[in-house]
Each structure stands twice: as structure tokens, then as C-alpha cells.
Amino acid sequence: MPLLEFTALLVLATAMSFSPGPNTTLSTALAANRGLPAAMRFVCAVPVGWTLLLLLCAGGVGAMVAAAPALQWAIKAMGIGYLLYLAFKLARSARLAQADAARLTVGFWQGVALQFVNIKAWLLALTIVGGWVAGRPDVLPRLAVVVPVMLFFAFASNLLYAATGALLRHWLAQGARLLWFNRAMAAVLVLTAAWMVNA
């Protein structure tokens, strides 16, 4: 892959991975409520799910989804519903003791599955496949470059957000700070869901 294309890939990966979205919001909220070790299952699930989505898009599933408006709406509807469900659960957690497995948990396989209903993940996967992979004679060598880069960015961005949430954990334990933090994170999820309606 030429250096200019690789640089453009890095710029896109940085902008898309480190901007707030469902994954980074959940990473932050999980670590703030339950600590960094509990958030790591989700942090590790994001790159796995995202890589599977990217490979499916490269294999032609992305073109099928792009050509089927009903399928696009089904993915959107599931993603919006799940984000609103998580926002509801998050907005009700007022104390660290309440943020237990029954109230705020997104496990590894849920994190993997979330990528398939995350419209931001679909848009990024389709953009990368369309711009850097599809229609090229060297598809496999390009995937061998793109996949590790995107794995790194998906992991690094979510780890950074989770570490930030973990650093805030003790400060948030005082008074009603955690409740307001959780409500702010829930609002970000709701706004993301609203954005998904028009995406």
C-alpha cells in the first residue's frame, strides 16, 4: 500500500475511532461504574467484532446491506433499540454499589454483537472496504495491512476511554456525581441513537 494511502487510512482511523460513539461511551461508563478490569471484556470485544464486520464487508456482505434498504433499517432499528435500552439502564445507576452485574453489564459477546448493529461501525467498515480494499488486485495484502491497523485503533480508543472512566471512578463515588455522570453518558447514547435514525 502506498504511503499516501496508508497515511489517509491512519487519519480516518484516528478520527473515527477516537471520536465519541456507542463503543467509547460504553467503555467509559463501564469503567467508571465497575472499574477497568470489568470494562476490559467490552474493550477487547470491540476490535474482535469490528474486525469480523470489516471482513464480512470485504467479502461482499457490505454491498448486500447497502443494496437492501429493509436490511439497513433492520440494523438501524436493532442498534437504536439496544442503545436506548443501555441508556435506560445506565441512567438509573446512582451509586457504584448499584452498578452490579444485574444493572450495567455488557459482556464480551454482547460487545462483539453490538458492532453489527452499530451504524458508525458499518459506515467505517464500508468506507474502508470501498476506499482501500474492494476492486484492487492486491485485496489480501491490503487486508493484511488494514485489519491490524483497525484492530489497534479499536482497542486503543476504547482502552483510553475506559481508563478515563476508571480514573474518574473514585471522584464519581462522592455525592450524586455518579448519577449525573451516568445520565450524561446515557444522554450521549440517546443522541447517538438519534443520529443513527438519520444516518
Side-chain angles (χ1 to χ4, degrees):
M1 181 179 297
L3 181 61
L4 188 60
E5 277 189 80
F6 185 69
T7 303
L9 176 65
L10 293 179
V11 169
L12 176 67
T14 302
M16 292 296 286
S17 298
F18 286 94
S19 60
N23 293 326
T24 53
T25 302
L26 284 173
S27 293
T28 307
L30 288 168
N33 282 274
R34 304 189 62 219
L36 188 57
M40 287 307 295
R41 285 177 297 177
F42 180 73
V43 169
C44 291
V46 171
V48 171
W50 201 90
T51 299
L52 292 173
L53 179 62
L54 177 67
L55 292 174
L56 283 173
C57 286
V61 172
M64 183 180 73
V65 170
L71 190 53
Q72 291 174 33
W73 276 106
I75 291 169
K76 277 188 187 185
M78 287 187 294
I80 290 166
Y82 190 61
L83 289 180
L84 293 176
Y85 167 74
L86 289 172
F88 175 74
K89 284 176 62 174
L90 186 57
R92 294 173 53 209
S93 293
R95 295 191 314 266
L96 293 176
Q98 288 182 342
D100 59 14
R103 294 185 68 80
L104 183 62
T105 297
V106 182
F108 181 83
W109 293 112
Q110 286 175 299
V112 169
L114 178 61
Q115 305 320 300
F116 291 88
V117 294
N118 178 349
I119 196 68
K120 183 180 175 184
W122 276 100
L123 291 173
L124 180 56
L126 291 171
T127 299
I128 288 174
V129 168
W132 280 268
V133 178
R136 308 294 179 108
D138 55 344
V139 168
L140 291 180
R142 283 175 173 270
L143 279 174
V145 172
V146 168
V147 168
V149 166
M150 297 313 299
L151 269 170
F152 170 77
F153 276 91
F155 178 75
S157 62
N158 283 281
L159 180 60
L160 176 67
Y161 275 83
T164 302
L167 287 173
L168 293 172
R169 184 171 164 79
H170 294 295
W171 181 79
L172 291 170
Q174 301 171 23
R177 292 174 181 169
L178 183 68
L179 176 63
W180 291 107
F181 173 82
N182 285 342
R183 287 180 176 172
M185 293 292 99
V188 171
L189 290 176
V190 170
L191 288 173
T192 303
W195 172 80
M196 286 173 64
V197 171
N198 298 313

